[in-house]
Amino acid sequence: MKNFEPFITQLNLKTGSIQPAARIIQRRLSDMCNFYFDEEARRRIVKEEGDRLIYEVFVTHVPEEEGHVLYGTTIIYPGLVGDEFHMTKGHFHKLRDQAEVYVGIAGSGYLIMQTEGGAVRSLKMEKGTIAYVPPCWAHRTVNTGDQPFVFFAAWPGEAGHDYGTIEESGFANIVVSRDNQALLIDNPNYR
Ligand code: PAN
Ligand code: ZN
């Protein structure tokens, strides 16, 4: 950590891409088995329409170590699976007491969060919104618009990601389209 060189990267404010990026993670519909309420619809889309790109994450060259700050952008493409809006998998940080900051760059959506103690929150995000994810809150973002929802995120280098807990339980709330409106409802599959 001591000998790490200062550096810059370039954020494209229109597309959300970062150059250079260490990694570009692509999450397709086939990567999201059982994440959407309507698993039947998810399977049908993959089979009949192909394996949609749901979101991409650009991550930079920073060591995943205490003292560093990791950062990156996420681009969630617009669309529905059944009547549920495109979203990220969502996760807790492996080290639960590690927080995160999100900054909306383009498009709009929701940041939904929950704690292991049962608290649930959702915040509307758009260009210019700065959202704070406190320690111990699982977080997922949802694109409720018709344009890519792009945001920047920064989190502690040592935080790590725990996807398993959310994969098992789901989120207490899901965001669905009803009469062309985004509606937050209880997740019937929440365990
Ligand atoms: C974000 C997320 C990113 C993708 O950078 O990792 O939006 O979501 P999933 O990781 O849930 O697939 C972040 O919260 N980092 O900690
Ligand atoms: Zn996170």
Side-chain angles (χ1 to χ4, degrees), residues 55 57 74 88-91 93 100 102 139 151 153 155 161 163:
Y55 64 101
V57 188
T74 303
T88 59
K89 287 185 169 186
H91 58 267
H93 289 155
E100 182 155 3
Y102 277 16
H139 38 288
F151 60 90
W155 65 97
H161 292 97
Y163 289 100

Side-chain angles (χ1 to χ4, degrees), residues 2 13 24 35-36 47 49 60 68 79-80 112 127 135 165:
K2 285 205 178 75
L13 287 165
I24 303 171
F35 277 90
Y36 288 92
K47 199 165 155 214
E49 294 173 28
T60 42
H68 284 283
L80 293 168
I112 62 175
K127 181 178 175 177
T165 305

Side-chain angles (χ1 to χ4, degrees), residues 66-175:
E66 190 179 347
H68 284 283
V69 177
L70 291 176
Y71 69 90
T73 48
T74 303
I75 303 155
I76 309 176
Y77 295 98
L80 293 168
V81 177
D83 59 5
E84 194 174 359
F85 288 100
H86 282 185
M87 62 188 186
T88 59
K89 287 185 169 186
H91 58 267
F92 281 98
H93 289 155
K94 214 177 263 173
L95 297 185
R96 292 290 194 269
D97 61 352
Q98 306 285 292
E100 182 155 3
V101 174
Y102 277 16
V103 183
I105 293 172
S108 60
Y110 279 93
L111 168 59
I112 62 175
M113 289 166 283
Q114 67 191 35
T115 66
E116 287 176 306
V120 176
R121 296 285 186 281
S122 68
L123 301 172
K124 184 102 183 78
M125 284 193 68
E126 57 185 16
K127 181 178 175 177
T129 306
I130 304 173
Y132 186 64
V133 181
C136 302
W137 287 82
H139 38 288
R140 161 182 286 164
T141 39
V142 185
N143 183 350
T144 53
D146 55 11
Q147 302 297 317
F149 173 31
V150 182
F151 60 90
F152 173 91
W155 65 97
E158 77 274 31
H161 292 97
D162 163 18
Y163 289 100
T165 305
I166 291 299
E167 192 167 0
E168 272 285 303
S169 70
F171 269 79
N173 287 330
I174 59 175
V175 189

